[in-house]
Amino acid sequence: MQTILILGAGKSSTYLIEYLLESAGVKSRKIIVADILKRTAAEKIKGSSFASAVSINITNQEERNALIQKSDLVVSMLPASMHPIIAKDCLTLGKHFFTASYESDELRKLANDIKAKNLLFLNECGLDPGIDHMSAMKIIDHQKAKGNEIISFKSFCGGILSPESEDNPWKYKFTWNPRNVVLAGQGVSRYIQNAQLKFIPYHKLFERTEKINFEDVGDFDGYANRDSLRYREIYGLEKIPTMLRGTLRRAGFCQAWNVFVQLGMTDDTFQVDFPNGVSYRGFLNSFLPYHPTKTVEEKLQAYLPNMDLDTMPKIEWLGLFSDNPVPISKGSPATILQKILEEKWQLSPDDKDMIVLQHQFEVKGGKVNTKIVSSLVCKGQNEEYTAMAKTVGLPLAMAVDLFLDGKIKSRGLQIPVQKEFYDPILKALEGYGIFFQENQIPKNE
Amino acid sequence: MQTILILGAGKSSTYLIEYLLESAGVKSRKIIVADILKRTAAEKIKGSSFASAVSINITNQEERNALIQKSDLVVSMLPASMHPIIAKDCLTLGKHFFTASYESDELRKLANDIKAKNLLFLNECGLDPGIDHMSAMKIIDHQKAKGNEIISFKSFCGGILSPESEDNPWKYKFTWNPRNVVLAGQGVSRYIQNAQLKFIPYHKLFERTEKINFEDVGDFDGYANRDSLRYREIYGLEKIPTMLRGTLRRAGFCQAWNVFVQLGMTDDTFQVDFPNGVSYRGFLNSFLPYHPTKTVEEKLQAYLPNMDLDTMPKIEWLGLFSDNPVPISKGSPATILQKILEEKWQLSPDDKDMIVLQHQFEVKGGKVNTKIVSSLVCKGQNEEYTAMAKTVGLPLAMAVDLFLDGKIKSRGLQIPVQKEFYDPILKALEGYGIFFQENQIPKNE
C-alpha cells in the first residue's frame, strides 16, 4: 500500500486530490490530506474511504514528521516559503517530494543528498512553471530531432478572467494570490533579443508590453517575467538569440496598472502611517506632487500625462478619488493597495477564471523559417473548480500517479523537462480538455 | 593626560586631525591615528610629538581593543558599517565614541547601556548630518524663544564642485564616495507639505526637483533626501505642516542623471554578465527596447522623449555611445556605471570642491509671516584640503575638544541638537570661514 501525504487543502488542491482519489482504490493507495483546519481537508476528500483528513500545525516539527513518516511521497501545496523546511524533513526521512513551485536555491543545495538517497524531488510541475515547460520541451525536442534550429522562443502565460466574467473596466479580478499580483514584476526583468541582453527595470515593465492574440479569446498584453535568461540552459537552448518569458493580462490592464507603479503605490519596502480615516483620495494624493489649487484628478493627469483615455475610468472605478476612508491606513503602500483591490476585484460565486498560455517559436530548417504558435486556453467552471486549480493540480497529480506506477525513472532534484514526464502528462491532460492548438506559418527570412 | 584614538586617516580626517593636534600640546593630549596603512596615518600627523601613527587590522578584535583600551575617547572615521562594532567595543571598555555618521538602529539599541555607564556617544556631528542640525536648531530655538511658530522648514545640502572647477558638461566630479553618489536616493523619499504626507518613488525623484538659488554661486537642483518625516521629532517640530530635507546638485544635473535612473543603470540588486569586450554602446543598449533599424541614439531619444537638449551632450561626453570596451563587464549595473563615471569624474589635483547648504524657514509671528533663508557656501583649497573634509572634520574635532575640556555635560547617545553643542561649535566654525548668511523677508500670508 502506497501512502500519499498532501499538505495544504486550499482551492488549488481540489483537482489534485480528486484525481488521486479516483484511482486510489484500484491502485491500493491511501491519501492523507493535512491542513491547518481539519474541516478544509475533510471537505476535499468527500468521505472517500481511501483518504483521511487531518489537521496540522505545520510549524511543529514533531507533528510534521509523524505524518511524513507514515507516507511514501509528500506533495506540498503550502506557500513556497515552507518548501525548504518540508523538503529537508523528506530528505531526512527518505520520502519523495513533489511541488508545483519554482525550484529554489535552498533546494538546489540539497540536490546531491537527494540523489544519493535515490529520491525524486520534483518541482515546477504545475501550470507556470509546469505545463509551460512540458509543452515547450515537446516542441523543442521535436524540432531538434528534425535537425532544425530554434532561433526565437517567447512564451506567455496568464491567470485571468474568462470573458463572460469580465464585468468591470479592468476586466480583472483576483483569481489567485492577491499579494503576488500586487508585487508582480518587482526587481529587474531580463531577456535576450537578437543576441542582445535586455534589462527592464520595474518602473518600465508595464510600458514595454507586447500584444499577444488568441484566436478564440482575443488580445492580451504580455510583459516580461523575471529572469528569462536562465531558461536558455534549462531548455537546452544555450545559444538561442531571442528568448523571453512573459505574463499575460487582458489588453489595457498594463497601461492602467502602470499608474500604480509610477505613483509608487505598489512599494512594499516601507511602512506608511496615515491618520485614521484617511480617504482613498488622500491615499492617492500622497503619491502626487503638492499643488496649491489643482484637484487630485488634475494632479494625476499632469503627473502622468501619457495615461490613455481608458485608464482614468479604471482608477475611478476602484474608488480612488472618493472621500471614503481606506480599509486600512497603516502598512506598506502595497498592503493598503492590495486591501483596496481585494474589495473590488473579488470573484463572485459564478465567476469563471481562465488560463491562457502561448508559445511562439521561430524555427530555422531548410530554406524557410517557420513560426510555430502553440496556444492553450482553459476556462474554469466556477469559484471552486477554477482553471487555475485544474492546470496547477492535474499535472502534479499525474506526475505523482505516474511515479507511483513506476513509470518515472528519474531521481534527484528534477523539473519536468524530460520526455518521460511530458509525454504521458501532456497526453493525460488532453483527456481533461487541456490541450494546445498549434499553428505553423512559413516565414521568409 | 587625555588620549584620543582616531580610526581612519583618509581624506576626510585631514582637518579633524590638524585641529586636534593644534591644541594637543597646550592641553596635554595624546592623539593616536590608526589606519590600515601606517604610512597614511603618519602622513596626517606630520611628525607631531603629541601624536603617534599606527597600523590596524580593524577586523581583528584584539588589535582594536588594545588601542581602544589605551584611549579615553574614540573618533571613528571608518565606513559607517563599522560603527556598531567599534561602538560595542567602546561600551565594553567604557570609552566615549564620536562619529560624523547617521545614528543607526544598532546604536539605538545600546542607548540605555551607554547612559548607564555615563558615556557620551555622539553621532551626526559632521556636515550633513552635523552642521545642518546645529545651524537649524539655532534658528528654531531662537524663533521659539521669541514665541514664533515655524510653519515650514526645508533644508538642502550638497557636496559638489567649486564653480572654477566645473569644466565638464555635468559640472560634477566625485568629491566624495562614488558608490554613495551612484546609489543616492534609492528607496522611497518621504516628506510633508501643507500637512499632506508625500512619498516619492526612486524613479520619480530626479524629476521632482526644486530650484534652489544661492546669491553668490547660482542655481541648483534640490531633490528630496530619504525620510524627512523623522526629523520633525528630532527638531522638536512635531506639528510642522511642511518639512523637507534635500540634496543639491548643480542645475541640470538631475535631469541628466534621471536618464540612468529611467534606464535602470543604477540598479544594484542583480548581477549582469556581459561578453568580454562589450562596448559602452552595448552596455547602454541593453537597457533600451530592441529595434530592428534604429541606432542606440535614436532608441534612447524615443524611449525617454522628455530629455532636454542639454542632456544628450552629457551622456555623449561620458562616452556611452562609443564602441570602446567598458572598464568592467561583470557586476551590477550600478557597479559598471560607477566604474565608467570614476574614469570621467575624477578630481584633478587643482580641482576645488564646494559645500552648499541652505535652510528655508517660514515663521509665523505677529501679523506677518517671515521667510528666513540661511545659506552656507564653503569652497575647498585643493584635492587634499577639501571643503568636504573641512566641514565634516572640524565640527567633529570641535565637539571632541569641547568634551575633553569638560564643556559638554550631555551623556548617553546624542546628536548635536542641544545648545551646549551648537553654540560653541558654530562660533568656532566661524573662525574657519564656515558661517551662514541669513536673509529675512517679510511675507504676507
Side-chain angles (χ1 to χ4, degrees):
Chain A
M1 175 114 128
Q2 297 168 320
T3 302
I4 304 165
L5 172 63
I6 297 171
L7 297 172
K11 198 154 83 174
S12 46
S13 303
T14 307
Y15 280 92
L16 168 82
I17 294 168
E18 285 193 6
Y19 184 90
L20 290 170
L21 276 179
E22 220 164 87
S23 59
V26 181
K27 296 187 178 183
S28 290
R29 289 181 192 153
K30 182 167 189 278
I31 298 165
I32 307 171
V33 179
D35 197 276
I36 187 164
L37 292 175
K38 185 176 173 180
R39 187 168 50 89
T40 312
E43 280 167 13
K44 285 284 189 292
I45 64 172
K46 300 197 161 111
S48 164
S49 54
F50 308 109
S52 58
V54 299
S55 80
I56 187 172
N57 170 4
I58 201 70
T59 58
N60 181 317
Q61 194 180 353
E62 268 179 54
E63 273 189 46
R64 241 168 32 223
N65 284 0
L67 276 178
I68 294 174
Q69 186 61 68
K70 282 188 203 165
S71 53
D72 300 289
L73 184 157
V74 177
V75 181
S76 176
M77 299 300 280
L78 300 168
S81 60
M82 285 304 298
H83 291 160
I85 299 166
I86 313 292
K88 278 173 198 161
D89 292 342
C90 288
L91 184 59
T92 307
L93 300 170
K95 311 298 182 182
H96 307 284
F97 177 70
F98 285 50
T99 85
S101 303
Y102 282 102
E103 187 183 281
S104 64
D105 284 337
E106 282 153 297
L107 261 81
R108 284 182 200 118
K109 285 182 197 147
L110 309 177
N112 286 337
D113 297 336
I114 299 164
K115 185 88 188 167
K117 287 203 164 182
N118 204 35
L119 296 170
L120 174 61
F121 279 34
L122 180 71
N123 291 287
E124 307 194 13
C125 196
L127 166 65
D128 171 15
I131 293 178
D132 57 346
H133 292 330
M134 294 188 269
S135 51
M137 285 310 300
K138 186 176 174 182
I139 294 171
I140 292 166
D141 284 348
H142 182 66
Q143 292 299 324
K144 282 185 174 175
K146 284 177 30 182
N148 293 343
E149 186 194 355
I150 294 162
I151 57 171
S152 172
F153 174 32
K154 296 183 178 183
S155 178
F156 296 89
C157 185
I160 45 178
L161 284 178
S162 192
E164 61 267 44
S165 295
E166 290 175 334
D167 56 7
N168 72 44
W170 288 83
K171 300 185 174 180
Y172 189 80
K173 295 176 190 175
F174 286 125
T175 63
W176 62 298
N177 189 324
R179 184 169 160 84
N180 289 354
V181 174
V182 172
L183 302 183
Q186 298 200 359
V188 174
S189 298
R190 289 166 252 188
Y191 64 103
I192 187 162
Q193 189 156 7
N194 280 45
Q196 296 170 6
L197 292 176
K198 293 290 179 189
F199 308 109
I200 313 181
Y202 179 57
H203 63 269
K204 286 287 181 188
L205 187 62
F206 294 94
E207 296 171 15
R208 285 171 68 170
T209 57
E210 48 186 292
K211 195 175 114 177
I212 307 294
N213 177 266
F214 285 72
E215 226 168 81
D216 299 331
V217 287
D219 285 339
F220 297 85
D221 295 334
Y223 66 87
N225 179 8
R226 302 200 255 191
D227 186 2
S228 298
L229 301 177
R230 69 183 207 86
Y231 288 88
R232 291 177 296 180
E233 203 178 323
I234 291 167
Y235 290 167
L237 299 170
E238 286 82 353
K239 301 203 163 157
I240 193 167
T242 298
M243 169 115 192
L244 171 72
R245 282 165 57 92
T247 299
L248 293 174
R249 294 280 179 266
R250 182 54 86 183
F253 179 95
C254 290
Q255 271 249 12
W257 185 257
N258 190 38
V259 170
F260 300 140
V261 175
Q262 293 308 312
L263 292 174
M265 246 185 217
T266 60
D267 196 301
D268 198 44
T269 64
F270 74 108
Q271 302 296 306
V272 297
D273 188 354
F274 287 105
N276 283 327
V278 66
S279 66
Y280 284 77
R281 195 175 181 80
F283 174 61
L284 174 56
N285 190 34
S286 68
F287 299 95
L288 294 168
Y290 177 80
H291 193 280
T293 54
K294 279 186 185 163
T295 64
V296 168
E297 290 84 346
E298 287 165 346
K299 286 189 281 187
L300 181 61
Q301 293 272 15
Y303 195 46
L304 304 176
N306 296 327
M307 273 195 300
D308 69 358
L309 284 176
D310 297 334
T311 292
M312 275 298 264
K314 292 190 177 87
I315 307 295
E316 185 156 16
W317 180 84
L318 287 172
L320 281 163
F321 298 120
S322 95
D323 290 318
N324 297 330
V326 288
I328 52 168
S329 60
K330 293 171 200 346
S332 72
T335 312
I336 297 174
L337 177 62
Q338 180 185 327
K339 207 82 186 170
I340 291 171
L341 296 175
E342 278 174 342
E343 294 192 345
K344 288 290 191 168
W345 285 353
Q346 202 177 8
L347 287 178
S348 307
D350 294 338
D351 276 332
K352 291 174 183 154
D353 75 328
M354 180 170 76
I355 296 298
V356 281
L357 198 169
Q358 186 172 101
H359 299 307
Q360 301 175 345
F361 289 95
E362 265 186 64
V363 178
K364 199 173 175 171
K367 282 182 184 156
V368 290
N369 287 1
T370 307
K371 186 162 183 179
I372 302 171
V373 178
S374 180
S375 306
L376 166 72
V377 175
C378 175
K379 294 180 183 177
Q381 289 172 41
N382 55 36
E383 209 188 10
E384 190 187 357
Y385 287 84
T386 67
M388 183 66 89
K390 188 173 180 180
T391 52
V392 170
L394 284 181
L396 189 57
M398 288 162 182
V400 169
D401 181 52
L402 286 162
F403 176 78
L404 292 178
D405 280 350
K407 289 176 183 158
I408 301 283
K409 302 299 170 199
S410 301
R411 292 293 182 277
L413 184 63
Q414 301 287 346
I415 66 172
V417 288
Q418 306 296 330
K419 202 178 171 72
E420 69 163 352
F421 290 104
Y422 70 67
D423 250 2
I425 293 177
L426 291 174
K427 185 91 196 123
L429 286 170
E430 281 181 21
Y432 287 80
I434 299 171
F435 56 88
F436 284 79
Q437 282 192 307
E438 193 172 305
N439 288 315
Q440 299 213 4
I441 311 131
K443 188 191 163 192
N444 291 319
E445 257 194 297
Chain B
M1 175 114 127
Q2 296 169 319
T3 302
I4 303 163
L5 171 63
I6 296 171
L7 296 173
K11 199 153 80 175
S12 47
S13 302
T14 306
Y15 280 92
L16 168 82
I17 294 169
E18 284 191 10
Y19 184 90
L20 290 171
L21 277 179
E22 221 166 84
S23 60
V26 181
K27 297 187 176 181
S28 290
R29 289 181 192 152
K30 184 169 188 275
I31 297 165
I32 306 172
V33 179
D35 197 276
I36 186 164
L37 291 175
K38 185 176 173 180
R39 188 167 50 88
T40 312
E43 279 167 12
K44 286 285 189 291
I45 64 170
K46 302 199 162 107
S48 163
S49 54
F50 307 109
S52 58
V54 298
S55 78
I56 187 172
N57 171 3
I58 200 70
T59 58
N60 182 316
Q61 194 181 352
E62 269 179 54
E63 274 188 48
R64 240 168 33 223
N65 284 0
L67 276 177
I68 294 173
Q69 186 62 67
K70 280 187 203 167
S71 53
D72 299 291
L73 183 156
V74 178
V75 182
S76 177
M77 299 298 280
L78 300 169
S81 60
M82 286 303 298
H83 291 160
I85 298 166
I86 314 291
K88 278 174 198 161
D89 292 341
C90 289
L91 184 59
T92 307
L93 299 170
K95 310 298 182 182
H96 306 285
F97 176 70
F98 284 51
T99 83
S101 303
Y102 281 103
E103 188 183 281
S104 63
D105 284 336
E106 282 152 297
L107 261 81
R108 282 182 202 122
K109 285 180 197 149
L110 308 177
N112 286 338
D113 297 335
I114 299 165
K115 186 87 185 168
K117 286 202 165 186
N118 203 36
L119 296 170
L120 174 59
F121 278 35
L122 180 69
N123 292 287
E124 308 195 14
C125 195
L127 165 66
D128 170 15
I131 293 178
D132 57 346
H133 291 331
M134 294 189 270
S135 51
M137 284 311 300
K138 188 177 171 180
I139 295 171
I140 292 165
D141 284 348
H142 181 66
Q143 292 299 324
K144 283 186 174 175
K146 285 181 23 184
N148 293 341
E149 185 194 355
I150 294 163
I151 56 171
S152 172
F153 175 31
K154 295 184 178 184
S155 178
F156 296 90
C157 185
I160 45 178
L161 284 177
S162 192
E164 61 268 43
S165 296
E166 290 176 335
D167 57 7
N168 72 43
W170 288 81
K171 301 186 176 182
Y172 189 81
K173 296 176 189 175
F174 286 125
T175 64
W176 61 297
N177 189 325
R179 184 170 159 82
N180 289 355
V181 174
V182 172
L183 302 183
Q186 298 199 358
V188 175
S189 299
R190 288 166 255 189
Y191 64 102
I192 187 161
Q193 189 156 6
N194 280 44
Q196 295 171 4
L197 292 177
K198 293 290 178 188
F199 308 109
I200 314 181
Y202 178 57
H203 64 269
K204 285 288 183 188
L205 186 62
F206 294 94
E207 295 169 15
R208 285 171 68 169
T209 58
E210 48 187 292
K211 197 175 112 178
I212 306 294
N213 177 265
F214 285 72
E215 226 169 78
D216 299 332
V217 288
D219 285 339
F220 297 85
D221 294 334
Y223 66 86
N225 179 9
R226 302 198 257 190
D227 185 3
S228 300
L229 301 178
R230 70 184 206 87
Y231 287 89
R232 292 178 295 180
E233 202 178 323
I234 291 168
Y235 291 166
L237 299 170
E238 286 83 353
K239 300 204 165 159
I240 193 168
T242 298
M243 169 116 191
L244 171 72
R245 283 165 57 92
T247 300
L248 293 174
R249 293 282 179 263
R250 184 52 88 182
F253 179 95
C254 290
Q255 270 250 11
W257 185 258
N258 190 37
V259 170
F260 299 141
V261 175
Q262 293 309 313
L263 291 174
M265 247 186 214
T266 59
D267 196 299
D268 199 43
T269 64
F270 75 108
Q271 302 295 305
V272 297
D273 188 355
F274 286 106
N276 282 328
V278 65
S279 66
Y280 283 77
R281 195 177 182 79
F283 174 61
L284 173 56
N285 190 34
S286 69
F287 298 95
L288 295 168
Y290 177 81
H291 193 279
T293 55
K294 280 186 185 165
T295 65
V296 169
E297 289 85 346
E298 288 165 347
K299 284 188 283 188
L300 181 60
Q301 294 272 16
Y303 196 47
L304 303 176
N306 296 327
M307 274 195 300
D308 68 357
L309 284 175
D310 297 334
T311 292
M312 275 298 264
K314 293 191 177 85
I315 307 295
E316 183 155 19
W317 179 84
L318 286 172
L320 281 164
F321 298 120
S322 95
D323 290 317
N324 297 330
V326 288
I328 51 167
S329 59
K330 292 168 201 350
S332 72
T335 312
I336 297 174
L337 177 63
Q338 182 186 329
K339 206 84 185 168
I340 290 171
L341 297 174
E342 278 174 342
E343 293 191 345
K344 289 288 192 168
W345 284 353
Q346 200 176 9
L347 288 177
S348 306
D350 295 338
D351 276 332
K352 290 175 182 148
D353 74 327
M354 181 168 77
I355 295 299
V356 280
L357 197 167
Q358 185 172 103
H359 299 307
Q360 301 175 346
F361 289 96
E362 266 186 64
V363 177
K364 199 173 176 175
K367 281 184 186 156
V368 290
N369 286 2
T370 308
K371 184 163 184 180
I372 302 172
V373 178
S374 180
S375 305
L376 166 72
V377 176
C378 175
K379 292 181 183 177
Q381 291 172 40
N382 55 37
E383 208 189 9
E384 191 186 356
Y385 287 85
T386 64
M388 183 65 89
K390 189 173 179 179
T391 51
V392 171
L394 284 181
L396 189 56
M398 289 161 181
V400 169
D401 181 52
L402 287 162
F403 177 77
L404 292 178
D405 280 350
K407 290 175 182 159
I408 302 283
K409 302 299 170 200
S410 300
R411 291 296 182 275
L413 183 64
Q414 300 288 345
I415 67 172
V417 288
Q418 305 296 331
K419 200 178 172 73
E420 68 162 353
F421 290 105
Y422 70 67
D423 251 1
I425 292 176
L426 290 174
K427 184 90 197 126
L429 285 171
E430 281 181 20
Y432 287 79
I434 299 171
F435 56 88
F436 283 77
Q437 283 193 306
E438 194 172 302
N439 288 314
Q440 298 212 5
I441 311 131
K443 189 192 163 193
N444 292 319
E445 258 191 298

